[in-house]
Amino acid sequence: MIMMLQILDFLGVAVFAITGTIVASRLRLDCLAFVFFSVFTGVGGGTLRDLLLDAPVFWVENQIYLVVCIAIGGAMWFLAPFVEKLSKPLRWADALGLAAYSVMGAAKTLSLGHPSIVAVLMGVATATFGGIIRDTIAGQPSALVKPEIYLTSAFAGAGVYVGLWVLGTPAWPAALGGVCAALLLRGGAIMRGWCLPPYRPPEDRGD
C-alpha cells in the first residue's frame, strides 16, 4: 500500500505539474511563472486533501515533491514547443493526472482510517482541485463547468477503487481498476465528446 501511494502520488504531482507548465507556455509567461504554475498545479489537490483530513501536508514532510515540480517547470521551459505538437497534450496529461490522483486521494484517506464515502470525496477533491486553481489563476474556464465528462471521471476512479477495496481486492489491482475507469470516461469525453444530460429548467421542457 505504501509503495502504491508513493507511485500514484508522484505520478499525479508530475503530470499535473506538466499541465500547469503547458498553460504557462500558452500564456507566454516567463521561466519563473513556469515554475510557479508547475508547483501550485502539481501539489494543489494533495494539499487540499491533507488539510481537510488534518494530516501532515505531504510536500512539507517530503520536499522531493517540490523538487520534482521545480525540475518539471525548468524542463518544460525548453520542451513546451515539442509537447504542444502532440495531440491535445493538456487534456490528455490532465486526464492521466486526474485518474492517478482520484485513486491516490481515496487510498490515502482509507489508509488514515476514514469511511469509504469520505475516501471517494477526497479522491475527487485531490484529482480536481489542482486543475481548478490552475485554470482560475490563468483566467480560463475550468473543466468543471464544461459540458463534457470531467468530475464524473474522478468519481468513477475513486469509487471503483474504494468499491474494490471494500470487496477485499488487493491494492494494486484495485488501483488499476480505478485508474482505468477514470481514464475510460475522461478519454471518451476527450475523443468522443461524452457528456451527461444537462439540467433543463421546466420552461425549456415545456412543463
Side-chain angles (χ1 to χ4, degrees):
M1 172 66 81
I2 294 176
M3 181 182 296
M4 185 194 75
L5 289 175
Q6 287 248 301
I7 291 174
L8 289 174
D9 215 10
F10 275 114
L11 178 62
V13 166
V15 175
F16 270 127
I18 291 172
T19 71
T21 60
I22 292 174
V23 170
S25 72
R26 292 178 178 177
L27 295 175
R28 300 188 178 185
L29 302 178
D30 59 43
C31 58
L32 288 181
F34 267 63
V35 173
F36 179 69
F37 267 75
S38 177
V39 171
F40 71 68
T41 308
V43 304
T47 300
L48 176 67
R49 174 201 64 218
D50 290 345
L51 291 175
L52 290 176
L53 295 176
D54 197 25
V57 178
F58 69 107
W59 54 267
V60 175
E61 286 205 321
N62 186 357
Q63 291 79 42
I64 191 64
Y65 292 101
L66 295 180
V67 174
V68 169
C69 290
I70 292 170
I72 288 174
M76 285 293 290
W77 173 256
F78 301 100
L79 299 176
F82 304 101
V83 174
E84 284 284 14
K85 292 179 181 179
L86 303 175
S87 176
K88 302 177 180 177
L90 177 60
R91 299 176 78 189
W92 280 111
D94 190 73
L96 183 57
L98 180 143
Y101 249 9
S102 66
V103 172
M104 165 59 202
K108 182 168 184 178
T109 304
L110 290 174
S111 72
L112 294 174
H114 294 284
S116 299
I117 189 171
V118 176
V120 173
L121 293 176
M122 287 300 101
V124 174
T126 306
T128 58
F129 190 68
I132 291 172
I133 60 174
R134 175 198 65 212
D135 295 338
T136 301
I137 293 178
Q140 299 178 352
S142 170
L144 289 179
V145 299
K146 295 178 180 178
E148 65 185 34
I149 290 174
Y150 187 81
L151 190 64
T152 306
S153 302
F155 267 108
V160 167
Y161 171 78
V162 171
L164 292 175
W165 177 85
V166 169
L167 293 174
T169 306
W172 274 112
L176 181 61
V179 169
C180 288
L183 277 179
L184 176 64
L185 286 179
R186 187 64 189 136
I190 294 172
M191 298 178 65
R192 303 288 183 179
W194 289 357
C195 61
L196 296 176
Y199 169 73
R200 295 176 59 199
E203 56 268 24
D204 290 349
R205 299 195 299 262
D207 297 346

